[in-house]
Coordinates of all heavy atoms in Angstrom, one line a residue:
F125 N -9.1 -2.5 -3.4 CA -7.7 -2.0 -3.2 C -7.6 -0.7 -3.8 O -8.4 -0.2 -4.6 CB -6.6 -2.9 -3.9 CG -6.8 -3.1 -5.4 CD1 -6.2 -2.3 -6.4 CD2 -7.5 -4.2 -5.9 CE1 -6.2 -2.3 -7.6 CE2 -7.7 -4.3 -7.3 CZ -7.0 -3.3 -8.2
P126 N -6.7 0.3 -3.2 CA -6.6 1.6 -3.8 C -6.2 1.7 -5.1 O -5.3 1.0 -5.5 CB -5.5 2.1 -2.7 CG -4.7 1.0 -2.2 CD -5.7 -0.2 -2.2
I129 N -3.5 7.4 -5.0 CA -2.7 7.6 -3.8 C -3.7 8.2 -2.7 O -3.5 8.0 -1.5 CB -1.5 8.5 -4.0 CG1 -0.6 8.5 -2.8 CG2 -1.8 10.0 -4.3 CD1 0.8 9.1 -2.9
L132 N -5.4 5.8 -0.2 CA -4.7 5.3 1.0 C -5.4 6.1 2.3 O -5.0 5.5 3.5 CB -3.2 5.7 1.0 CG -2.5 5.1 -0.2 CD1 -1.0 5.4 -0.1 CD2 -2.7 3.7 -0.2
F244 N 10.0 7.5 -2.2 CA 9.2 7.2 -1.0 C 8.8 8.3 -0.2 O 9.6 9.4 -0.3 CB 9.9 6.2 -0.1 CG 9.3 4.7 -0.3 CD1 9.9 3.9 -1.3 CD2 8.4 4.3 0.5 CE1 9.5 2.5 -1.5 CE2 7.8 3.0 0.3 CZ 8.4 2.1 -0.6
R256 N -3.0 -6.1 5.0 CA -3.5 -5.6 3.6 C -3.4 -4.1 3.5 O -2.8 -3.6 2.3 CB -4.9 -6.1 3.4 CG -5.5 -5.8 2.1 CD -6.8 -6.2 1.9 NE -7.0 -7.6 1.8 CZ -6.8 -8.4 0.9 NH1 -6.4 -7.9 -0.4 NH2 -6.9 -9.6 0.8
D257 N -3.7 -3.3 4.4 CA -3.6 -1.9 4.3 C -2.2 -1.4 4.3 O -1.9 -0.5 3.5 CB -4.4 -1.2 5.6 CG -5.9 -1.3 5.4 OD1 -6.4 -1.6 4.3 OD2 -6.6 -0.7 6.3
F258 N -1.3 -2.0 5.1 CA 0.1 -1.5 5.1 C 0.7 -1.8 3.8 O 1.5 -0.9 3.3 CB 0.8 -2.1 6.3 CG 2.3 -1.7 6.4 CD1 2.7 -0.4 6.9 CD2 3.3 -2.5 5.9 CE1 3.9 0.0 7.0 CE2 4.6 -2.2 6.0 CZ 5.0 -1.0 6.5
L259 N 0.6 -3.0 3.2 CA 1.2 -3.4 2.1 C 0.7 -2.6 0.9 O 1.5 -2.2 0.0 CB 1.1 -4.8 1.8 CG 1.8 -5.8 2.8 CD1 1.4 -7.2 2.5 CD2 3.2 -5.6 2.9
A260 N -0.6 -2.3 1.0 CA -1.1 -1.4 -0.1 C -0.5 -0.1 -0.3 O -0.2 0.4 -1.4 CB -2.6 -1.3 0.0
S261 N 0.0 0.4 0.8 CA 0.7 1.7 0.9 C 2.0 1.6 0.1 O 2.3 2.6 -0.6 CB 0.9 2.3 2.3 OG -0.5 2.4 2.9
L262 N 2.7 0.7 0.4 CA 4.0 0.5 -0.2 C 3.9 0.4 -1.8 O 4.9 0.8 -2.4 CB 4.6 -0.9 0.3 CG 4.9 -1.0 1.7 CD1 5.5 -2.4 2.0 CD2 5.9 0.1 2.2
A263 N 2.8 0.0 -2.3 CA 2.6 0.0 -3.8 C 2.7 1.4 -4.4 O 3.1 1.5 -5.5 CB 1.3 -0.7 -4.1
F264 N 2.3 2.3 -3.6 CA 2.5 3.8 -4.0 C 3.7 4.6 -3.5 O 3.8 5.7 -3.6 CB 1.3 4.6 -3.5 CG -0.1 4.2 -4.1 CD1 -0.8 3.0 -3.6 CD2 -0.6 4.7 -5.2 CE1 -1.9 2.6 -4.1 CE2 -1.8 4.3 -5.7 CZ -2.5 3.2 -5.2
R265 N 4.7 3.7 -3.0 CA 5.9 4.1 -2.4 C 5.5 5.2 -1.2 O 6.1 6.2 -1.0 CB 6.8 5.0 -3.4 CG 7.4 4.1 -4.4 CD 8.7 4.3 -5.0 NE 9.1 3.1 -5.9 CZ 10.4 3.0 -6.1 NH1 11.3 3.8 -5.7 NH2 10.8 2.0 -6.9
V266 N 4.6 4.7 -0.5 CA 4.2 5.4 0.7 C 4.5 4.5 2.0 O 4.0 3.3 1.9 CB 2.7 5.9 0.7 CG1 2.3 6.4 2.1 CG2 2.5 7.0 -0.3
F267 N 5.2 5.0 3.0 CA 5.4 4.2 4.2 C 4.6 4.9 5.4 O 4.9 6.0 5.7 CB 6.9 4.2 4.5 CG 7.2 3.3 5.7 CD1 7.4 1.9 5.4 CD2 7.2 3.7 6.9 CE1 7.7 1.1 6.5 CE2 7.5 3.0 8.0 CZ 7.8 1.5 7.8
A304 N 14.1 0.1 -2.0 CA 12.8 0.8 -2.3 C 12.0 0.1 -3.2 O 10.8 -0.1 -3.2 CB 13.1 2.3 -2.7
Q305 N 12.7 -0.3 -4.4 CA 11.9 -1.1 -5.4 C 11.4 -2.5 -4.9 O 10.3 -2.9 -5.1 CB 12.9 -1.5 -6.7 CG 12.2 -2.1 -7.8 CD 11.0 -1.2 -8.3 OE1 11.2 0.0 -8.6 NE2 9.8 -1.7 -8.3
S307 N 10.6 -3.1 -1.8 CA 9.4 -2.8 -0.9 C 8.1 -2.5 -1.8 O 7.1 -3.0 -1.4 CB 9.7 -1.6 -0.1 OG 10.8 -1.9 0.9
Q308 N 8.4 -1.8 -2.8 CA 7.2 -1.5 -3.6 C 6.7 -2.7 -4.3 O 5.4 -3.0 -4.5 CB 7.5 -0.4 -4.7 CG 6.3 0.1 -5.6 CD 6.6 1.1 -6.6 OE1 7.7 1.1 -7.2 NE2 5.6 1.9 -6.9
D309 N 7.6 -3.6 -4.7 CA 7.1 -4.9 -5.5 C 6.4 -5.7 -4.6 O 5.3 -6.3 -5.1 CB 8.3 -5.7 -5.8 CG 9.1 -5.1 -7.0 OD1 8.5 -4.3 -7.8 OD2 10.3 -5.4 -7.3
I310 N 6.6 -5.8 -3.3 CA 5.7 -6.5 -2.4 C 4.4 -5.8 -2.1 O 3.3 -6.4 -2.3 CB 6.4 -6.5 -0.9 CG1 7.6 -7.4 -0.9 CG2 5.3 -7.1 0.1 CD1 8.4 -7.5 0.4
G311 N 4.4 -4.4 -2.2 CA 3.2 -3.8 -2.2 C 2.2 -4.0 -3.4 O 1.1 -4.2 -3.2
L312 N 2.8 -3.9 -4.5 CA 2.0 -4.1 -5.7 C 1.5 -5.5 -5.8 O 0.5 -5.7 -6.3 CB 2.9 -3.9 -6.9 CG 3.3 -2.3 -7.2 CD1 4.5 -2.2 -8.2 CD2 2.1 -1.5 -7.7
A313 N 2.3 -6.4 -5.3 CA 1.8 -7.8 -5.4 C 0.6 -8.0 -4.5 O -0.2 -8.9 -4.7 CB 3.0 -8.8 -5.0
S314 N 0.5 -7.3 -3.5 CA -0.6 -7.4 -2.5 C -2.0 -6.9 -3.0 O -3.0 -7.4 -2.5 CB -0.3 -6.6 -1.1 OG -0.6 -5.3 -1.3
L315 N -1.9 -5.9 -4.0 CA -3.1 -5.4 -4.4 C -4.2 -6.4 -5.1 O -3.7 -7.0 -6.1 CB -3.0 -4.2 -5.4 CG -2.0 -3.1 -4.9 CD1 -1.9 -2.1 -5.9 CD2 -2.7 -2.4 -3.7
L416 N -1.6 -5.4 -13.2 CA -1.6 -4.0 -12.8 C -0.4 -3.3 -13.3 O 0.7 -3.9 -13.4 CB -1.6 -4.0 -11.2 CG -2.8 -4.6 -10.6 CD1 -2.6 -4.6 -9.0 CD2 -4.1 -3.9 -11.0
H417 N -0.5 -2.1 -13.4 CA 0.7 -1.1 -13.8 C 0.6 0.1 -13.0 O -0.4 0.8 -12.8 CB 0.5 -0.8 -15.3 CG 1.5 0.2 -15.6 ND1 2.9 -0.1 -15.9 CD2 1.4 1.6 -16.0 CE1 3.5 1.1 -16.2 NE2 2.5 2.0 -16.4
Y418 N 1.7 0.4 -12.3 CA 1.8 1.6 -11.5 C 2.4 2.8 -12.3 O 3.4 2.6 -13.0 CB 2.7 1.5 -10.3 CG 2.9 2.5 -9.4 CD1 1.9 3.3 -8.7 CD2 4.1 3.4 -9.6 CE1 2.1 4.4 -8.0 CE2 4.4 4.5 -8.8 CZ 3.3 5.0 -8.0 OH 3.6 6.2 -7.2
D419 N 1.7 3.8 -12.4 CA 2.0 5.0 -13.3 C 2.6 6.1 -12.3 O 2.0 6.7 -11.4 CB 0.8 5.6 -13.9 CG 1.2 6.9 -14.9 OD1 2.3 7.3 -14.6 OD2 0.4 7.2 -15.8
P420 N 3.9 6.2 -12.3 CA 4.7 7.0 -11.3 C 4.3 8.6 -11.5 O 4.5 9.4 -10.6 CB 6.1 6.7 -11.5 CG 6.2 6.2 -12.9 CD 4.9 5.5 -13.2
S423 N 0.8 8.7 -9.9 CA 0.7 7.9 -8.6 C -0.7 7.1 -8.6 O -1.5 7.1 -7.7 CB 0.7 8.8 -7.4 OG 1.9 9.4 -7.3
R424 N -1.0 6.5 -9.8 CA -2.2 5.7 -9.9 C -1.9 4.2 -10.2 O -0.8 4.0 -10.9 CB -3.1 6.3 -11.0 CG -3.8 7.6 -10.4 CD -4.7 8.1 -11.7 NE -5.5 9.3 -11.1 CZ -6.8 9.3 -10.7 NH1 -7.4 8.1 -10.7 NH2 -7.3 10.4 -10.3
I425 N -2.8 3.4 -9.9 CA -2.7 2.0 -10.4 C -3.6 1.7 -11.5 O -4.9 2.0 -11.4 CB -3.1 1.1 -9.1 CG1 -2.1 1.2 -8.0 CG2 -3.0 -0.4 -9.6 CD1 -0.7 0.8 -8.2

Side-chain angles (χ1 to χ4, degrees):
F125 60 89
I129 197 167
L132 296 182
F244 255 90
R256 186 179 290 280
D257 282 357
F258 179 76
L259 294 177
S261 301
L262 297 179
F264 294 83
R265 295 210 170 204
V266 170
F267 186 85
Q305 186 61 57
S307 300
Q308 186 181 26
D309 287 341
I310 294 182
L312 288 168
S314 76
L315 300 180
L416 298 175
H417 171 69
Y418 174 71
D419 186 339
S423 296
R424 285 177 176 265
I425 300 293

